[in-house]
Amino acid sequence: MIGAGGFVGRHVTRRLSGGDEPVRALVRDRRRFAAPAGVEVVEGDVTRPASLDAAMAGASSVVHTAAITGNLKEPYRGAYDAVHRGGAENVVAAARGAGVGRIVLMSGLGTVPAPDGTYMATRWGMEEAVRAGGIPFVIIQPSVQFGPGAEFIAALARLARRSPVVPLLGGGGLRFQPIWVEDVVTCVERALVDDELTGRTIAVGGSEYATFREVIETILAVLGRRRLLAPLPLPIARLQARLMTALLPHPPLTPATIELFSFENFTDLDAVEKNFGFRPAAFREYLLAHGVEADEDGPTPGGPRS
């Protein structure tokens, strides 16, 4: 499990730890990782190839989820590319050397070829490194995710609590297909064992579409708050993101986020059912039943199952 300390990685590691196969987790700092019982923890970094050998030794399959999400400021110039494309190349090389038989890569819905220097170009480079690696693979491209620890929902909830005005990027009409993180984990589990999925890049989303405005309105309904919703055109948001990124260590808006708001973020409503054999949870139903705190504070026992 590469990237076990990240959002999806934590959920995948927890689920796999309850299975019959041994699980090894690669993290950058073991002191900051609460490993589930029985999980072997190895320190390493995808940008340091030599640190990957111990993680790969004896592994039959690799789940690769290590990435810098678009809401985070690039820590240094070229970091997105070093972690995404370069990191995937390093992971594939180490896996090939160890005789790994399968790689499952966590990517993102809408990943396509893009101009050099863009965030999307680095995501595409990550996928291409896996496709060209000579190891059987499955690439999963989820829409935005919700569930315990999901920053997308948690960040919007923080904004809704603190600000009397909530900006609607691009006017709020952009469509998403939010998918529960535990459903994404189920897709990963099945990608590890289903040979019919081998060699495929599969876009997945939840059981309903929701515009950005509808996502905000659902969060406000759950919080019991009323806020002014103000459309924010992308050109203005792009300028604000550049300024905040230049001035702040942790900007609330990044140029990478604006890139990801430049295209529709949905696929077929039956994508999960058609490819993985189950129906995913519904976004509005989940939030109304469990609240946004489930996304902010950690796992909620007895959450919805598919």
Side-chain angles (χ1 to χ4, degrees):
M1 180 66 230
I2 308 295
F7 168 56
V8 177
R10 292 195 307 274
H11 288 271
V12 173
T13 303
R14 185 182 302 116
R15 179 84 67 84
L16 294 181
S17 69
D20 297 329
E21 298 295 327
V23 177
R24 181 182 297 139
L26 180 82
V27 297
R28 287 186 295 167
D29 186 351
R30 67 169 64 240
R31 295 170 300 179
R32 301 178 61 185
F33 179 65
V39 172
E40 179 188 354
V41 180
V42 177
E43 282 192 345
D45 191 309
V46 296
T47 63
R48 294 187 287 111
S51 72
L52 301 176
D53 293 340
M56 298 293 178
S60 59
S61 300
V62 168
V63 178
H64 180 27
T65 66
I68 306 175
T69 54
N71 63 296
L72 298 178
K73 178 179 178 177
E74 192 172 32
Y76 57 87
R77 188 173 181 82
Y80 290 145
D81 187 65
V83 172
H84 297 163
R85 180 194 54 76
E89 290 176 350
N90 294 337
V91 167
V92 169
R96 191 167 52 238
V100 169
R102 194 174 193 82
I103 293 180
V104 177
L105 174 67
M106 184 60 52
S107 183
L109 200 156
T111 299
V112 294
D116 290 344
T118 61
Y119 180 80
M120 183 61 75
T122 71
R123 283 197 349 189
W124 177 254
M126 178 173 65
E127 290 192 1
E128 286 289 88
V130 170
R131 293 189 188 99
I135 300 174
F137 68 87
V138 181
I139 298 174
I140 299 175
Q141 299 178 324
S143 184
V144 296
Q145 297 177 58
F146 62 92
E151 179 60 19
F152 179 71
I153 301 300
L156 293 176
R158 290 194 297 269
L159 180 63
R161 286 192 179 101
R162 298 170 183 172
S163 174
V165 179
V166 177
L168 298 176
L169 289 177
L174 188 70
R175 286 176 292 177
F176 295 90
Q177 194 177 346
I179 183 168
W180 187 36
V181 62
E182 292 295 341
D183 286 336
V184 174
V185 174
T186 300
C187 294
V188 171
E189 280 190 307
R190 299 189 184 183
L192 284 168
V193 299
D194 188 346
D195 289 337
E196 291 188 2
L197 301 175
T198 302
R200 296 178 57 195
T201 299
I202 306 171
V204 296
S207 60
E208 60 185 330
Y209 300 139
T211 65
F212 187 59
R213 174 185 285 273
E214 289 169 340
V215 169
I216 295 292
E217 289 173 342
T218 300
I219 291 171
L220 290 172
V222 171
L223 295 175
R225 306 290 178 93
R226 299 184 65 180
R227 294 290 186 260
L228 176 64
L229 304 182
L232 179 61
L234 285 182
I236 296 176
R238 187 174 295 111
L239 177 60
Q240 291 178 340
R242 289 173 180 166
L243 290 173
M244 287 188 286
T245 298
L247 297 173
L248 302 174
H250 304 289
L253 194 61
T254 67
T257 297
I258 302 303
E259 273 191 57
L260 299 178
F261 267 78
S262 66
F263 59 89
E264 301 274 30
N265 201 268
F266 68 92
T267 185
D268 297 336
L269 283 175
D270 64 349
V272 169
E273 192 166 7
K274 180 171 57 179
N275 292 291
F276 297 97
F278 70 98
R279 182 172 176 79
F283 167 68
R284 293 178 181 85
E285 180 182 340
Y286 176 95
L287 245 62
L288 291 171
H290 299 277
V292 296
E293 288 76 12
D295 287 57
E296 297 174 313
D297 299 333
T300 300
R305 302 296 301 173
S306 298

